[in-house]
Amino acid sequence: MRNHEVTEKKPLLCNDGSLSEPGWSRNLVQIYDRNAIKKRKTRIKEWDYYYIISHKNNIAVCFTVSDLGYLELESVSFIDFSAVYENTQGCMAPFPMGKLHMPSDSSYGDVKVKNNKLALEYLVRTDKRIIRCDFPSFDSGKGLKVNITLNNPSQDSMVIATPWKKDKKAFYYNQKINCMPASGRVEYAGKVYTFSPDTDFGGLDWGRGVWTYDNYWYWGSGSGTVDGHRFGFNIGYGFGDTTAASENVIFYDGKAHKIDDVIFNISDNFIDPWTFTSSDGRFEMDFVPIIDRSDYTSALGLIVTDQHQVFGKMSGRAVLDDGKVIELKDFLCFAEKVHNKY
């Protein structure tokens, strides 16, 4: 059944390491257990990625903590849309294989990384998430210091459990939480940006699983307000067997509205205009890029990540489950194409 919704709380994996019930859900009803995985530790991928877009300041900050089995990777980005400037820097270490103790559920557990370059932590509390970052050498010594709180009200998210046809023990369990109001401050190059929950919003990409070696993915996300209502979306495709469900969802005032397939129409020049079209006609958008946050990482040519995360403004129409049409005009968001070998 296309767009099969999982509603029963149960272990994510069967005894043989395959997914018990591929499909999507509104929260983490299936229980992830790293110890239930039937693949070697170097194949397990776990990450928490946050983005916060300040519509007020016209900037964005992004943070990644990831255990990719072979490689530990932290990444921090500062993006200035007015200046059309971005800087991304990170740290790598070999073979973490569980040493980061990434939580098995997004609703609890802290993630903390500290080394001689970077201190980065995610603190999860009952109704909020706190992101703290201190990166003195960031951007040739301009420095980046962040203390942001994301309010985490009770709301739907997008969760998908995706298998791979060619490897029954490979799977991707992913949650996207959108539209979390942001408050706090970012200090970059001696300038302080204050964030307001009325205008600034964050999102979480929480991923756990076992991937096959070579994959492409397409992902787009936005969080903000439209006519005083919290509005966001998650769209994507490109890896695994999505027969059971897609990950395409519109969020409106905390409720998820499930939509069908969405296609990204992109040229080889990522800063050319894009379009998005959906099989059910419920997500039809034009996208004008502002900046391509491109990042290429290679470790001996065996582990490669080639990212083009393009931030820009989206205009068009989104249709809710009840037929209500939401008109977007210059909605600040991003969409990306990523190629990974790991």
Side-chain angles (χ1 to χ4, degrees):
M1 178 181 177
R2 184 61 170 163
N3 285 330
H4 170 65
E5 183 174 356
V6 181
T7 58
E8 179 187 352
K9 198 166 188 67
K10 62 169 71 172
L12 176 69
L13 301 178
C14 300
N15 290 336
D16 64 358
S18 64
L19 282 175
S20 61
E21 189 174 358
W24 83 285
S25 54
R26 298 171 194 270
N27 289 291
L28 292 173
V29 294
Q30 300 193 76
I31 302 165
Y32 171 78
D33 179 1
R34 181 185 175 96
N35 295 322
I37 294 173
K38 304 301 183 183
K39 301 286 279 190
R40 64 183 187 271
K41 290 182 179 180
T42 53
R43 301 304 311 150
I44 301 174
K45 317 299 178 190
E46 300 179 326
W47 66 74
D48 290 3
Y49 166 82
Y50 285 92
Y51 73 85
I52 304 100
I53 294 178
S54 174
H55 300 261
K56 168 188 170 184
N57 296 295
N58 214 28
I59 66 168
V61 285
C62 309
F63 308 92
T64 304
V65 176
S66 58
D67 178 340
L68 304 178
Y70 297 104
L71 185 70
E72 174 187 336
L73 176 64
E74 287 82 47
S75 178
V76 176
S77 299
F78 178 88
I79 304 137
D80 187 329
F81 302 116
S82 298
V84 193
Y85 176 79
E86 70 90 14
N87 189 273
T88 297
Q89 289 180 239
C91 306
M92 293 188 292
F95 299 107
M97 295 189 295
K99 293 177 184 175
L100 293 178
H101 303 291
M102 305 294 284
S104 60
D105 191 298
S106 69
S107 65
Y108 58 80
D110 298 338
V111 175
K112 298 182 180 182
V113 174
K114 188 172 184 179
N115 53 48
N116 59 4
K117 290 177 59 179
L118 169 68
L120 176 60
E121 60 183 16
Y122 308 147
L123 309 178
V124 179
R125 302 297 179 258
T126 303
D127 57 355
K128 62 186 177 182
R129 299 167 184 271
I130 302 165
I131 301 171
R132 294 174 181 160
C133 174
D134 190 8
F135 203 158
S137 64
F138 183 81
D139 199 357
S140 302
K142 292 179 181 177
L144 182 71
K145 199 165 188 177
V146 176
N147 191 337
I148 290 176
T149 296
L150 299 177
N151 293 329
N152 192 23
S154 178
Q155 61 177 347
D156 288 344
S157 63
M158 189 296 302
V159 178
I160 191 165
T162 304
W164 268 265
K165 288 183 179 178
K166 60 185 178 181
D167 187 344
K168 296 300 183 183
K169 296 178 182 178
F171 68 94
Y172 182 45
Y173 194 42
N174 179 225
Q175 181 181 39
K176 304 284 180 33
I177 303 177
N178 286 56
C179 303
M180 291 185 283
S183 59
R185 54 187 275 152
V186 170
E187 184 175 347
Y188 165 72
K191 183 176 180 179
V192 175
Y193 302 85
T194 58
F195 282 52
S196 168
D198 296 327
T199 57
D200 306 330
F201 296 86
L204 168 63
D205 171 12
W206 183 91
R208 304 289 187 268
V210 172
W211 288 62
T212 55
Y213 174 65
D214 192 347
N215 290 281
Y216 284 87
W217 80 58
Y218 298 81
W219 177 38
S221 183
S223 296
T225 59
V226 176
D227 296 329
H229 297 267
R230 279 190 303 138
F231 174 87
F233 62 87
N234 183 83
I235 52 177
Y237 62 98
F239 57 85
D241 178 6
T242 57
T243 303
S246 74
E247 64 175 84
N248 302 311
V249 171
I250 299 166
F251 298 100
Y252 191 73
D253 284 341
K255 181 182 178 183
H257 299 253
K258 191 73 183 69
I259 57 177
D260 289 335
D261 294 324
V262 176
I263 299 297
F264 294 39
N265 300 305
I266 319 167
S267 78
D268 291 334
N269 183 1
F270 287 92
I271 59 172
D272 286 344
W274 303 19
T275 62
F276 300 85
T277 186
S278 55
S279 59
D280 56 10
R282 293 178 57 188
F283 195 87
E284 304 295 321
M285 299 289 173
D286 296 315
F287 180 68
V288 178
I290 298 172
I291 190 168
D292 175 11
R293 191 196 69 81
S294 60
D295 188 29
Y296 182 86
T297 301
S298 177
L300 303 176
L302 298 175
I303 301 171
V304 177
T305 178
D306 185 8
Q307 305 179 16
H308 289 272
Q309 184 183 35
V310 181
F311 288 82
K313 294 184 177 181
M314 192 173 281
S315 300
R317 63 195 299 270
V319 182
L320 305 184
D321 289 343
D322 62 2
K324 179 181 176 67
V325 176
I326 308 299
E327 299 283 352
L328 295 191
K329 178 65 174 176
D330 296 332
F331 188 79
L332 194 57
C333 58
F334 69 83
E336 69 181 27
K337 179 181 179 181
V338 175
H339 181 203
N340 281 326
K341 291 182 179 181
Y342 57 30

